[in-house]
Amino acid sequence: MSSVRVVARVRPLLKSELDKDTIITTSSSDSEASNEANIVRIPNPKNAGEDFSFQFNSVYDQEATQQDIFDTEVSPTIKHLFSGFDVTLFAYGVTGTGKTHTMRGGKTIAERGVIPRLLSGIYRRSRKIEKDSRGETNVEVAMSYYEIYNDRVFDLFEAPEKRTMTGLQLRDNGGKTVVVGLTERPCESLKEFEKLYDQANVNRSTSATKLNAHSSRSHAVLCVKLTITTGDETRVSTASAIDLAGSEDNRRTDNGKERLVESASINKSLFVLAQCVEAISKKQARIPYRESKMTRILSLGQNNGLTIMILNLAPVRSYHLDTLSSLNFANRTKKIEVREIENEPIIKGCSRAVPTFTGPTIQRQPLRPLASTAHNATIHPVNTGSKPGDKPLKAFSVYSDKSKLRYSNSAQVRRIEPPKRSSPLKRPSDHFGSTAAQRFKHARTSPECLRKLQPTISKAAIEDIIEKKVTEILAARALDQPSIAPVPEISEEVQRRLEMLEQKIEGKDEGRAEGLTYLLMAKQHHVRGEDSSALKMYELAKEYFPDNPKLDAKILKLRERLREKKSENEQRLKGPTCMPSSEPQTLGAVQKMREDPKDGDYQDAPEPVSDADYESDDGFRFRSKSKKNARPPAAKTKVDVFRDIPPCGDQATPRTKQLLGIINTRDIAQIKLLRGVGAKKAGLIVEAICSDDDEIGSLGQLEGLRGVGAKTVANMRLGL
């Protein structure tokens, strides 16, 4: 028996930490002759003048390197591993104290952790053993790697998207806890191990917290299986390296919702581990290993072999209470005793001897009758003559449904007294076996007689019997099955609907959906009075609905309307008489001209929605008219607006030319800068100009555009 070896390591200061905040000191005890430190001192948080001292097997300060810890603590366990002992290494500490750095390390050779150095030592020793034995000894190395995340076990050689929600299950096998369905990968060299190890670490659950940028969110367990074969003897041993996740104070880590769930699972498993250690130290009858999967796998105090605990500590004052809690836990852990038991070798060709309560040299006793049982109460005498090659006969009878033989002579029936046994290690005399042990043998028939009585059946007869049986079974099944009703024929309409549904399911109806989109857009343009845009949308939708008469009628109607509108605009531009440019034209005259039914450009559309339902200066918002609450139009003040209608043959004024030039640029950025024109109205003006494909030549033509009235044109012109 030996206790758990506890090693304490104090991590160096981080860049954000100050030397004056250091509270942990290391020293060596007076009884130790060497200069190696084995005591950790930390002040009492309630009394700064008092120090607590904790003594461990070894203590490493901030200057200790990865090589120092491996050479002193881990390297001596490799020879025990090759001797058949199991080795368990686990790192314990608060989050941010360097547990993962100690176990895994960095990428450089100097920063390599315990696990890569352990595998390097195993490969070196295995090559040396194979070389010294001249090929008679073969060493095989295999590894398995898994994590315990939220109290569920996941294989790290498996991608996260292929994992199940419940994870892998745990089972007990020969006093050890095994993971069912865990992947085991053979590793023939250190390079192959590093490749597999790096790939598996990518799948491990890590995240950033306020205290650690790469905080481990799960407990990682690496199992290295070592199989040494020498001739017919095979010896298997296992090295387990466990990187425990650190306990967290959520007030300091600022964890979110998901991190809080992970932190609760980590703290629960570490709390159960502390309960197990306390129960073992107090020698309680029940140890709560099964309350957490981590403690069930670790099985501290129940596993056979060597166990080393590496306690990672932070030296600064901000970790004061957490460090004190870790030191108390390690102080209880070092008192746990473990059994250093060598694994039994497996020998090929012979089974393992099963020990019995009578000792390994005592043979198993044959079955004998009991006088207290009813069916063994009477034993019948038979002829004791037997051939030398016959097998020994049974000395007991078995219940059967057959009637027993009855003898008329009562002298032949006698009760057998049970043999007197002075000691369980002494065998009784063979008198009972030579007489009563062979009494029921006369009822059996010898194998030679059975072979003579068996009739010979030809191969053809056997095949006929099999065929007959198969025919009978098939006929019986046919009778048991219900009659299958004929499938009724499907009508053409139902078949057509089924084909349409299949097309929708297979995604072949995408064209119809796109056509419906064009129809919807055309309807929206038509409601807003944008006939040219509506016509374009209808023409695009016709490609998806080629044989639709309603759609064709709408297209023809829109084309005729646009044609009439264009001709009326041309006539209106040619029709008005020339007026002197100096004569002003008031807004009332403009309004009267708009109300003139002869002006085709301002006639109401046949659709139920008219241009008057839209507000020309407020972004073209639709206003429904209420006939009940209709009010008489208020008298409008007449504002003199100078019209650029020069005498025949004269050119327009410079201001009009500038306004028409800005409009004909079709640039929304310039048009929206005009007075009384916003971004939405500018877009509609450009769209109307693009639909007619003609430039605006006069203010009257500009007024004819949808949404642009005389007042809007006057505001545009006065704003220049």
Side-chain angles (χ1 to χ4, degrees), residues 44-98:
N44 185 353
K46 296 181 179 180
N47 184 7
E50 181 183 2
D51 288 343
F52 292 139
S53 299
F54 298 90
Q55 184 174 356
F56 302 112
N57 296 99
S58 295
V59 175
Y60 296 90
D61 57 7
Q62 303 178 25
E63 304 298 330
T65 61
Q66 300 274 58
Q67 187 69 33
D68 296 338
I69 296 175
F70 176 77
D71 291 342
T72 310
E73 306 299 335
V74 184
S75 182
T77 61
I78 297 178
K79 63 179 180 180
H80 295 283
L81 187 64
F82 278 85
S83 300
F85 292 92
D86 291 339
V87 177
T88 302
L89 308 170
F90 70 97
Y92 182 89
V94 190
T95 181
T97 54

Side-chain angles (χ1 to χ4, degrees), residues 383-436:
N383 187 13
T384 58
S386 61
K387 297 180 181 180
D390 291 346
K391 296 180 180 179
L393 304 180
K394 295 180 180 178
F396 56 89
S397 61
V398 182
Y399 282 115
S400 64
D401 295 335
K402 297 180 181 180
S403 59
K404 296 182 180 180
L405 296 175
R406 295 185 179 179
Y407 295 91
S408 59
N409 188 4
S410 60
Q412 294 179 352
V413 181
R414 61 190 179 93
R415 186 177 297 274
I416 303 300
E417 296 292 335
K420 297 180 180 179
R421 301 178 64 179
S422 59
S423 173
L425 301 178
K426 293 184 179 180
R427 288 177 59 86
S429 62
D430 293 334
H431 173 70
F432 179 80
S434 62
T435 58

Side-chain angles (χ1 to χ4, degrees), residues 386-665:
S386 61
K387 297 180 181 180
D390 291 346
K391 296 180 180 179
L393 304 180
K394 295 180 180 178
F396 56 89
S397 61
V398 182
Y399 282 115
S400 64
D401 295 335
K402 297 180 181 180
S403 59
K404 296 182 180 180
L405 296 175
R406 295 185 179 179
Y407 295 91
S408 59
N409 188 4
S410 60
Q412 294 179 352
V413 181
R414 61 190 179 93
R415 186 177 297 274
I416 303 300
E417 296 292 335
K420 297 180 180 179
R421 301 178 64 179
S422 59
S423 173
L425 301 178
K426 293 184 179 180
R427 288 177 59 86
S429 62
D430 293 334
H431 173 70
F432 179 80
S434 62
T435 58
Q438 302 178 2
R439 301 196 177 195
F440 288 94
K441 192 65 178 179
H442 69 283
R444 299 187 179 182
T445 309
S446 62
E448 291 81 4
C449 298
L450 290 175
R451 280 194 289 269
K452 291 177 182 179
L453 293 175
Q454 288 179 354
T456 58
I457 302 175
S458 63
K459 185 177 181 181
I462 294 173
E463 291 179 356
D464 293 340
I465 294 171
I466 294 173
E467 186 176 358
K468 185 178 179 182
K469 285 288 185 184
V470 171
T471 306
E472 291 176 357
I473 293 171
L474 292 177
R477 288 182 179 178
L479 292 174
D480 293 338
Q481 290 179 354
S483 60
I484 301 174
V487 180
E489 295 183 359
I490 302 174
S491 62
E492 294 182 358
E493 186 174 354
V494 175
Q495 185 68 27
R496 182 172 57 80
R497 289 183 179 181
L498 290 174
E499 290 177 358
M500 291 176 63
L501 288 174
E502 289 178 358
Q503 289 179 359
K504 288 182 179 180
I505 293 172
E506 293 175 0
K508 296 181 180 179
D509 208 20
E510 295 178 357
R512 181 179 175 84
E514 191 172 354
L516 292 174
T517 304
Y518 286 132
L519 287 176
L520 179 62
M521 294 171 64
K523 190 67 177 176
Q524 293 174 352
H525 286 296
H526 187 66
V527 169
R528 292 199 295 263
E530 302 165 359
D531 294 338
S532 59
S533 300
L535 179 61
K536 289 182 180 180
M537 294 296 105
Y538 279 132
E539 288 175 349
L540 290 174
K542 185 173 175 55
E543 298 178 2
Y544 301 96
F545 306 100
D547 300 329
N548 195 326
K550 292 183 179 180
L551 182 60
D552 295 339
K554 287 184 178 181
I555 292 175
L556 290 175
K557 188 176 180 180
L558 284 174
R559 285 177 179 173
E560 290 177 1
R561 185 183 300 172
L562 290 174
R563 196 179 302 113
E564 292 176 359
K565 182 178 178 180
K566 189 173 182 180
S567 62
E568 289 175 358
N569 287 337
E570 292 176 355
Q571 292 177 4
R572 188 179 60 80
L573 292 174
K574 295 177 181 179
T577 58
C578 296
M579 297 174 59
S581 57
S582 60
E583 183 180 357
Q585 188 174 3
T586 62
L587 184 62
V590 174
Q591 183 69 21
K592 184 176 180 181
M593 186 175 65
R594 287 183 61 106
E595 294 174 356
D596 188 5
K598 295 180 181 180
D599 191 359
D601 191 27
Y602 295 98
Q603 288 182 2
D604 292 337
E607 295 296 326
V609 182
S610 62
D611 294 338
D613 295 334
Y614 294 89
E615 194 174 15
S616 60
D617 293 332
D618 288 338
F620 291 85
R621 289 186 299 175
F622 180 73
R623 285 186 177 180
S624 60
K625 289 185 176 181
S626 178
K627 295 182 179 180
K628 295 181 180 180
N629 299 327
R631 296 180 180 178
K636 298 182 180 179
T637 58
K638 294 184 179 181
V639 181
D640 292 338
V641 179
F642 291 94
R643 300 291 304 271
D644 286 324
I645 303 177
C648 297
D650 294 345
Q651 298 294 330
T653 61
R655 183 178 294 183
T656 303
K657 288 182 180 180
Q658 183 182 359
L659 175 61
L660 296 178
I662 294 173
I663 296 296
N664 289 326
T665 57

